[in-house]
Amino acid sequence: MADNLSDTLKKLKITAVDKTEDSLEGCLDCLLQALAQNNTETSEKIQASGILQLFASLLTPQSSCKAKVANIIAEVAKNEFMRIPCVDAGLISPLVQLLNSKDQEVLLQTGRALGNICYDSHEGRSAVDQAGGAQIVIDHLRSLCSITDPANEKLLTVFCGMLMNYSNENESSKEQFASTNIAEELVKLFKKQIEHDKREMIFEVLAPLAENDAIKLQLVEAGLVECLLEIVQQKVDSDKEDDITELKTGSDLMVLLLLGDESMQKLFEGGKGSVFQRVLSWIPSNNHQLQLAGALAIANFARNDANCIHMVDNGIVEKLMDLLDRHVEDGNVTVQHAALSALRNLAIPVINKAKMLSAGVTEAVLKFLKSEMPPVQFKLLGTLRMLIDAQAEAAEQLGKNVKLVERLVEWCEAKDHAGVMGESNRLLSALIRHSKSKDVIKTIVQSGGIKHLVTMATSEHVIMQNEALVALALIAALELGTAEKDLESAKLVQILHRLLADERSAPEIKYNSMVLICALMGSECLHKEVQDLAFLDVVSKLRSHENKSVAQQASLTEQRLTVES
């Protein structure tokens, strides 16, 4: 076979130049046969022989063997290592020209070749882009919409595949498509399809395109949402595998469309939109996929204050709490996560917090304290932190809840899950900052939480450092006696010295560190540590700091240190 292949390639080089029809066809058939037997090895030999460069001349509209050559290119481009050589051999432009052919077989093989060259290849995509290939394919899809010839089915598959490979992970292609009416054509095409496989195939083209916000809006305007809602209605009670897949794909795509601000707002229609109402009806359904999509959709609608306020006033919180209730024991983790995400977003506007607290959201959320799933833990913490923001009474109530505080302290050590660890620290600090309660501080001291707040003051995130320092200053002001042992063993004074001496510390960090130093002077053991560490040198340097508040606080702190020494 190998010798035969080498002979064929030599022969092909000669016949490709003088275009002897019969022997040329024979050589191409041999190549296709060799590729069918061992694609990778044959492709390597084709590349080594330099024959790729000659293919461009065989792809002209006049050439009688153009379909076969396109087929060979489609086969070799199944190998990743052959895609750039195909581009370098100048094959893209002649292939794109062949998309104007009227011959079904030529179109089919050309579509395959271009689709395979674009697969996972940036070079392939940009060459097709420059040659204008995508626009021609869109025009084909438009005409395929109107003809229902069985031969067209194959073409539809190939062109959809090509578009998918072309637009996947390709930002510029999505920009380019946004300026065509591809969205409208695909939605028309989608509406026509009855078979599951064809719908699924168009879904696969729509999903990467729908990542672009302009295309999201076009798809909404072209009526895709109504199609998706219809699919959901048809498939919701079916247990056939195809229907379950289609329900999932359809509802996922629906949620994706809501990720765009304009498309989301258009579908919300001030909370009166029929789409919004339909999505609401998914939450109480018995189908997990729909419950999930419904909760994710609400989380996406809850991206601005006006929407959040409207939804809370119209009873959405109760629907989400009922949903969570159904998933407390052995619940579906993705549904729990989505429902908590929605509640967290709804709790952002100040006006919603008290309403959600009195509706019993904290109690509903606390049922998931025993969850061992980090994504659920993360959202639970975020929801509670949003709810108690500037709500002193709620913060005090939660901060005295020993079970909660102990769990937070445990999660502050979740080294494998930085998100959970960060949120636990932030919630511990928030309980103190918003309650300003001695009882809360005592509960946190008894549960071993102090060392975590001290560590949090060294976080790489300024916002977290600051939250920690403010909480520690409140501890020092309200319950220094109870906390001094823990503050000492956590080396707080040394950390403050480091923060003040470090030129990279933000002004607010320096300011709050000095406030905290002054508050610690009331403790004998901590006072002694401050004296031993020569704080005066560091603080006096800060009197000339460019930030006025820092400079002022440095003068006050210096006086305090001088008086107390």
Side-chain angles (χ1 to χ4, degrees):
M1 178 75 213
D3 296 345
N4 198 353
L5 179 59
S6 308
D7 292 346
T8 302
L9 288 168
K10 279 181 197 152
K11 198 169 166 193
L12 191 54
K13 272 191 167 167
I14 301 162
T15 49
V17 176
D18 58 20
K19 300 199 173 52
T20 332
E21 296 288 330
D22 299 346
S23 49
L24 189 55
E25 293 276 346
C27 289
L28 296 173
D29 286 338
C30 274
L31 274 191
L32 281 168
Q33 231 173 338
L35 284 162
Q37 283 177 1
N38 188 335
N39 191 318
T40 312
E41 196 182 316
T42 307
S43 295
E44 283 167 350
K45 293 210 158 117
I46 288 176
Q47 188 188 0
S49 72
I51 199 89
L52 277 180
Q53 279 72 8
L54 298 177
F55 281 169
S57 66
L58 301 177
L59 288 170
T60 59
Q62 300 76 37
S63 162
S64 63
C65 54
K66 51 187 177 283
K68 264 187 193 150
V69 175
N71 187 358
I72 291 171
I73 296 169
E75 287 302 317
V76 300
K78 287 177 178 174
N79 302 289
E80 191 181 348
F81 66 86
M82 289 300 285
R83 290 173 200 146
I84 293 178
C86 285
V87 174
D88 294 343
L91 302 180
I92 304 295
S93 188
L95 281 169
V96 167
Q97 291 314 307
L98 287 182
L99 286 173
N100 295 309
S101 168
K102 296 279 178 280
D103 181 314
Q104 288 268 358
E105 182 62 15
V106 171
L107 286 173
L108 203 62
Q109 299 304 348
T110 306
R112 283 183 61 231
L114 289 168
N116 289 352
I117 291 170
C118 285
Y119 183 76
D120 231 359
S121 160
H122 172 69
E123 293 77 6
R125 289 174 193 145
S126 55
V128 172
D129 182 10
Q130 282 163 357
Q135 186 56 55
I136 304 176
V137 172
I138 293 170
D139 296 338
H140 274 298
L141 283 176
R142 187 175 302 132
S143 59
L144 286 175
C145 280
S146 47
I147 321 164
T148 46
D149 168 11
N152 279 341
E153 297 291 310
K154 262 190 179 163
L155 267 186
L156 180 62
T157 309
V158 166
F159 285 150
C160 280
M162 179 189 156
L163 272 189
M164 186 170 74
N165 289 350
Y166 173 72
S167 61
N168 213 356
E169 292 172 18
N170 182 1
E171 280 320 312
S172 63
S173 77
K174 288 171 194 157
E175 300 300 316
Q176 186 194 354
F177 283 140
S179 61
T180 70
N181 56 351
I182 175 91
E184 201 181 331
E185 296 306 330
L186 285 169
V187 173
K188 268 190 212 157
L189 198 56
F190 183 76
K191 286 177 178 168
K192 282 207 148 126
Q193 305 311 314
I194 298 149
E195 288 170 50
H196 165 77
D197 290 351
K198 294 285 180 297
R199 279 176 157 181
E200 205 56 31
M201 187 174 69
I202 298 170
F203 267 144
E204 284 180 348
V205 183
L206 286 173
L209 289 176
E211 285 165 12
N212 173 286
D213 281 359
I215 297 179
K216 282 187 182 80
L217 190 60
Q218 290 170 7
L219 290 169
V220 167
E221 286 170 344
L224 179 61
V225 172
E226 288 70 15
C227 295
L228 297 177
L229 288 172
E230 203 173 306
I231 287 175
V232 167
Q233 195 142 14
Q234 287 166 2
K235 312 290 180 189
V236 66
D237 298 319
S238 166
D239 46 14
K240 280 175 33 196
E241 187 126 346
D242 279 359
D243 290 347
I244 293 169
T245 309
E246 213 165 309
L247 177 77
K248 177 172 170 26
T249 319
S251 52
D252 283 350
L253 188 50
M254 178 79 202
V255 171
L256 179 60
L257 292 176
L258 292 174
L259 279 172
D261 286 338
E262 279 186 87
S263 49
M264 178 273 286
Q265 216 45 52
K266 190 176 174 66
L267 294 169
F268 189 66
E269 290 180 55
K272 306 276 185 289
S274 61
V275 173
F276 172 64
Q277 297 300 333
R278 285 279 281 282
V279 167
L280 269 192
S281 72
W282 293 356
I283 293 177
S285 108
N286 290 320
N287 181 302
H288 282 186
Q289 174 58 34
L290 277 197
Q291 294 171 357
L292 171 65
L296 287 173
I298 297 301
N300 285 342
F301 279 126
R303 283 213 311 278
N304 62 51
D305 283 8
N307 290 8
C308 288
I309 292 165
H310 181 281
M311 288 194 277
V312 168
D313 287 346
N314 284 275
I316 288 199
V317 169
E318 288 70 16
K319 283 192 169 68
L320 289 167
M321 287 184 354
D322 289 345
L323 177 59
L324 277 175
D325 249 359
R326 295 160 69 182
H327 286 277
V328 174
E329 299 305 326
D330 317 317
N332 180 308
V333 174
T334 47
V335 174
Q336 293 171 357
H337 180 258
L340 288 168
S341 297
L343 285 172
R344 180 196 174 280
N345 289 2
L346 289 169
I348 293 172
V350 178
I351 193 171
N352 281 355
K353 297 182 198 294
K355 291 175 185 169
M356 290 175 72
L357 288 166
S358 59
V361 173
T362 37
E363 293 75 6
V365 170
L366 286 171
K367 289 177 187 168
F368 294 90
L369 256 190
K370 54 181 185 288
S371 170
E372 291 304 329
M373 305 308 275
V376 174
Q377 297 167 351
F378 181 72
K379 285 297 175 189
L380 170 148
L381 293 163
T383 308
L384 291 176
R385 192 164 60 79
M386 281 301 158
L387 281 169
I388 62 165
D389 193 7
Q391 307 295 311
E393 202 180 314
E396 178 159 14
Q397 206 181 346
L398 279 178
K400 292 193 294 197
N401 178 331
V402 178
K403 265 197 180 135
L404 168 65
V405 174
E406 284 177 348
R407 193 69 160 135
L408 291 183
V409 170
E410 184 189 328
W411 285 341
C412 282
E413 289 165 9
K415 298 274 188 293
D416 300 344
H417 302 285
V420 173
M421 200 162 94
E423 277 293 336
S424 303
N425 277 305
R426 293 190 76 185
L427 183 53
L428 265 186
S429 150
L431 291 169
I432 295 171
R433 287 182 298 112
H434 298 304
S435 71
K436 300 183 176 57
S437 148
K438 290 179 168 231
D439 289 339
V440 170
I441 294 171
K442 283 177 187 158
T443 309
I444 289 174
V445 172
Q446 279 153 11
S447 306
I450 296 297
K451 62 174 184 285
H452 297 298
L453 290 170
V454 174
T455 308
M456 182 182 170
T458 63
S459 160
E460 65 221 40
H461 305 289
V462 173
I463 189 161
M464 285 174 69
Q465 277 187 295
N466 222 6
E467 287 171 359
L469 291 169
V470 173
L472 289 165
L474 282 164
I475 293 170
L478 296 170
E479 275 298 322
L480 186 54
T482 315
E484 67 179 347
K485 285 269 179 297
D486 289 354
L487 293 171
E488 186 183 9
S489 61
K491 306 221 178 330
L492 173 62
V493 173
Q494 289 84 331
I495 285 170
L496 292 173
H497 189 275
R498 213 164 60 226
L499 289 175
L500 288 172
D502 187 344
E503 286 176 8
R504 292 164 306 180
S505 297
E508 60 267 41
I509 300 303
K510 296 200 156 150
Y511 177 86
N512 283 324
S513 297
M514 288 188 282
V515 170
L516 183 47
I517 283 293
C518 294
L520 295 177
M521 303 298 268
S523 149
E524 206 173 311
C525 58
L526 295 170
H527 185 167
K528 185 177 180 319
E529 286 194 349
V530 171
Q531 284 177 319
D532 293 349
L533 267 176
F535 265 83
L536 265 172
D537 305 350
V538 194
V539 172
S540 54
K541 279 186 192 145
L542 292 174
R543 281 199 335 229
S544 54
H545 195 278
E546 56 189 0
N547 181 298
K548 277 213 181 74
S549 307
V550 171
Q552 247 169 344
Q553 186 57 44
S555 298
L556 290 172
T557 308
E558 188 179 37
Q559 284 167 20
R560 184 80 194 268
L561 289 169
T562 317
V563 170
E564 304 264 346
S565 59

